[in-house]
Amino acid sequence: MPDLSALADPGFLAVQCLNGLTQAMFLFLIASGLSLIFGVLGVLNFAHGSLYMLGAYLSYTIASWFVGSPAAFWVALILGSIGVALVGGIIESVFLRPVYRREELDQLLVTYALVLIISDLVKLAWGAENRSGSRPALLAGSVVIAGRDFPTYNLFVLAVGPLVALGLWLLLRRTQFGRLVRAAANDREMVGVVGVNVTGLFTGVFMLGAWLGGLGGGLAAPIGAIFPGMDVEIIVESFIVVVVGGMGSLGGTLLGALIIGQLNAFGILFFPRFAIVFVYILMAVVLVIRPWGLLGRPVTRG
């Protein structure tokens, strides 16, 4: 039987809701990169979770170089995510560019091979044991919300998610780069015909998506274990977010992340043994009723 006693505690419910929102912001950061890459390049990047894992490890290592410095976390977050973006550029140029015109199955197999390669490289570089990062001193404490303690770091994550969403929206809607990206998403051949460097555009989009994954990993490093295999856990939920929200839709990705975050937060509270099932049921229902997602559009490519 579900434990309904928690419903009588508004403070607990408020904090649980904030926990769900925090998870939603992590999912949004990672899934938005996944959705962006699919929306423009048309590639289902199974290796996106590996970029998230790489972001966590790089941030952890860079932070260890500046132990004792108040700027260690921030330097690690910036340099770690940029490092992942550079790795993403190499992946796109070397492994994905040659298979853009092949069958989708070939692309899936290439990204799956990248998952295995990156996993082995991570084990080789950092070993198989769990590691954990440190929160910056500025965000190490907690605040009282509705009579309950809530980590200050989680509030920071809650602020980062909407800021990144706003930044992406401005980038895609208010810049020349964004207009080219949206045009390429609708008809990549036409964009190439009018003289746009589609190859460079695709590399830039993939690097942006990889940066988002690396940023998510860097932010997650101080609040959870860093271990080989963390990529598999996150990529499953990220795919569900993108499927529910709509492939290639930034707003849909944010909506999907908010729904999944709250489902996880309250599902595990009332139905701890079956919480994960609700997420899969939701995805199945969306696929049956609206296969292009809640805010997505049917895929038509030129």
Side-chain angles (χ1 to χ4, degrees):
M1 291 291 291
D3 181 10
L4 300 180
S5 60
L7 291 173
D9 187 344
F12 180 81
L13 291 177
V15 168
Q16 197 66 11
C17 180
L18 289 174
N19 286 330
L21 289 175
T22 304
Q23 185 187 11
M25 291 304 101
F26 279 116
L27 287 173
F28 168 73
L29 287 174
I30 301 153
S32 58
L34 186 67
S35 182
L36 182 67
I37 290 171
F38 176 81
V40 179
L41 279 63
V43 174
L44 275 174
N45 182 24
F46 271 122
H48 199 71
S50 302
L51 298 174
Y52 160 81
M53 176 175 66
L54 200 56
Y57 273 105
L58 284 178
S59 295
Y60 163 81
T61 299
I62 295 172
S64 69
W65 296 342
F66 301 93
V67 172
S69 170
F73 169 81
W74 308 104
V75 172
L77 185 64
I78 294 171
L79 295 184
S81 57
I82 291 176
V84 174
L86 294 175
V87 171
I90 295 172
I91 288 174
E92 193 277 341
S93 302
V94 177
F95 296 101
L96 294 180
R97 193 177 297 169
V99 299
Y100 280 145
R101 296 187 180 279
R102 296 189 189 175
E103 298 292 330
E104 291 182 351
L105 179 59
D106 290 345
Q107 299 172 3
L108 287 175
L109 290 175
V110 168
T111 60
Y112 183 67
L114 288 170
V115 171
L116 302 178
I117 292 170
I118 295 174
S119 177
D120 282 346
L121 289 177
V122 163
K123 290 176 185 174
L124 189 65
W126 284 281
E129 64 274 15
N130 289 5
R131 300 173 187 273
S132 61
S134 300
R135 303 179 189 190
L138 182 66
L139 304 174
S142 62
V143 296
V144 177
I145 296 178
R148 297 268 183 169
D149 289 334
F150 188 73
T152 308
Y153 186 83
N154 288 21
L155 287 178
F156 166 69
V157 174
L158 287 176
V160 169
L163 287 176
V164 170
L166 177 62
L168 283 175
W169 184 85
L170 290 174
L171 178 67
L172 295 175
R173 295 290 175 179
R174 294 288 187 267
T175 67
Q176 179 66 15
F177 175 78
R179 282 187 281 272
L180 292 177
V181 167
R182 287 186 286 123
N186 291 324
D187 192 337
R188 68 178 72 174
E189 302 296 339
M190 182 60 70
V191 171
V193 167
V194 297
V196 174
N197 181 359
V198 177
T199 300
L201 182 66
F202 277 20
T203 303
V205 169
F206 197 93
M207 290 180 70
L208 176 60
W211 177 79
L212 288 166
L215 181 65
L219 287 172
I223 62 173
I226 306 170
F227 59 96
M230 62 188 292
D231 55 331
V232 177
E233 293 182 4
I234 198 68
I235 195 62
V236 172
E237 287 198 316
S238 297
F239 266 120
I240 294 174
V241 165
V242 173
V243 169
V244 170
M247 283 282 188
S249 169
L250 182 62
T253 303
L254 181 58
L255 177 62
L258 291 172
I259 293 173
I260 301 301
Q262 293 303 321
L263 263 181
N264 283 335
F266 286 98
I268 200 168
L269 178 64
F270 297 113
F271 303 96
R273 297 175 63 182
F274 307 102
I276 190 64
V277 176
F278 296 129
V279 175
Y280 294 122
I281 291 175
L282 172 65
M283 182 178 69
V285 170
V286 170
L287 282 173
V288 170
I289 298 176
R290 194 176 169 86
W292 49 87
L294 296 177
L295 298 184
R297 293 180 299 177
V299 177
T300 54
R301 296 191 178 279

PDB file of all heavy atoms in Angstrom, residues 39 58 76 106 170 211 219 265:
ATOM      1  N   GLY A  39      17.641  16.769 -34.022  1.00  0.00           N
ATOM      2  CA  GLY A  39      16.836  17.697 -34.802  1.00  0.00           C
ATOM      3  C   GLY A  39      17.553  18.231 -36.013  1.00  0.00           C
ATOM      4  O   GLY A  39      16.935  18.470 -37.053  1.00  0.00           O
ATOM      5  N   LEU A  58      36.046  14.665 -16.292  1.00  0.00           N
ATOM      6  CA  LEU A  58      36.957  15.775 -16.566  1.00  0.00           C
ATOM      7  C   LEU A  58      36.841  16.857 -15.495  1.00  0.00           C
ATOM      8  O   LEU A  58      37.854  17.404 -15.031  1.00  0.00           O
ATOM      9  CB  LEU A  58      36.650  16.363 -17.954  1.00  0.00           C
ATOM     10  CG  LEU A  58      37.126  15.555 -19.161  1.00  0.00           C
ATOM     11  CD1 LEU A  58      36.715  16.243 -20.461  1.00  0.00           C
ATOM     12  CD2 LEU A  58      38.632  15.374 -19.138  1.00  0.00           C
ATOM     13  N   ALA A  76      36.714  23.992 -13.128  1.00  0.00           N
ATOM     14  CA  ALA A  76      36.502  22.621 -13.604  1.00  0.00           C
ATOM     15  C   ALA A  76      35.236  22.519 -14.442  1.00  0.00           C
ATOM     16  O   ALA A  76      35.212  21.829 -15.469  1.00  0.00           O
ATOM     17  CB  ALA A  76      36.428  21.676 -12.409  1.00  0.00           C
ATOM     18  N   ASP A 106      23.159   2.097 -39.448  1.00  0.00           N
ATOM     19  CA  ASP A 106      24.617   2.276 -39.431  1.00  0.00           C
ATOM     20  C   ASP A 106      25.017   3.358 -38.433  1.00  0.00           C
ATOM     21  O   ASP A 106      26.002   3.229 -37.710  1.00  0.00           O
ATOM     22  CB  ASP A 106      25.115   2.653 -40.828  1.00  0.00           C
ATOM     23  CG  ASP A 106      25.007   1.498 -41.809  1.00  0.00           C
ATOM     24  OD1 ASP A 106      24.832   0.360 -41.339  1.00  0.00           O
ATOM     25  OD2 ASP A 106      25.086   1.737 -43.027  1.00  0.00           O
ATOM     26  N   LEU A 170      17.451  31.938 -27.259  1.00  0.00           N
ATOM     27  CA  LEU A 170      17.973  33.150 -27.894  1.00  0.00           C
ATOM     28  C   LEU A 170      18.948  32.799 -29.018  1.00  0.00           C
ATOM     29  O   LEU A 170      18.936  33.433 -30.083  1.00  0.00           O
ATOM     30  CB  LEU A 170      18.674  34.024 -26.844  1.00  0.00           C
ATOM     31  CG  LEU A 170      17.759  34.685 -25.809  1.00  0.00           C
ATOM     32  CD1 LEU A 170      18.595  35.390 -24.735  1.00  0.00           C
ATOM     33  CD2 LEU A 170      16.818  35.682 -26.477  1.00  0.00           C
ATOM     34  N   TRP A 211      28.634  19.921 -25.500  1.00  0.00           N
ATOM     35  CA  TRP A 211      28.894  20.841 -24.386  1.00  0.00           C
ATOM     36  C   TRP A 211      27.768  20.766 -23.347  1.00  0.00           C
ATOM     37  O   TRP A 211      28.025  20.775 -22.130  1.00  0.00           O
ATOM     38  CB  TRP A 211      29.024  22.268 -24.914  1.00  0.00           C
ATOM     39  CG  TRP A 211      29.210  23.285 -23.832  1.00  0.00           C
ATOM     40  CD1 TRP A 211      30.349  23.579 -23.163  1.00  0.00           C
ATOM     41  CD2 TRP A 211      28.188  24.130 -23.277  1.00  0.00           C
ATOM     42  NE1 TRP A 211      30.108  24.558 -22.231  1.00  0.00           N
ATOM     43  CE2 TRP A 211      28.794  24.912 -22.268  1.00  0.00           C
ATOM     44  CE3 TRP A 211      26.821  24.290 -23.533  1.00  0.00           C
ATOM     45  CZ2 TRP A 211      28.080  25.847 -21.526  1.00  0.00           C
ATOM     46  CZ3 TRP A 211      26.107  25.218 -22.796  1.00  0.00           C
ATOM     47  CH2 TRP A 211      26.738  25.990 -21.810  1.00  0.00           C
ATOM     48  N   LEU A 219      27.988  19.405 -13.558  1.00  0.00           N
ATOM     49  CA  LEU A 219      27.091  19.822 -12.475  1.00  0.00           C
ATOM     50  C   LEU A 219      26.693  18.641 -11.588  1.00  0.00           C
ATOM     51  O   LEU A 219      26.454  18.812 -10.384  1.00  0.00           O
ATOM     52  CB  LEU A 219      25.833  20.462 -13.068  1.00  0.00           C
ATOM     53  CG  LEU A 219      26.003  21.859 -13.665  1.00  0.00           C
ATOM     54  CD1 LEU A 219      24.730  22.278 -14.398  1.00  0.00           C
ATOM     55  CD2 LEU A 219      26.325  22.880 -12.577  1.00  0.00           C
ATOM     56  N   ALA A 265      10.084  11.841  -8.727  1.00  0.00           N
ATOM     57  CA  ALA A 265      10.110  12.334  -7.347  1.00  0.00           C
ATOM     58  C   ALA A 265       8.926  11.814  -6.543  1.00  0.00           C
ATOM     59  O   ALA A 265       9.090  11.374  -5.385  1.00  0.00           O
ATOM     60  CB  ALA A 265      10.119  13.863  -7.354  1.00  0.00           C
TER      61      ALA A 265
END
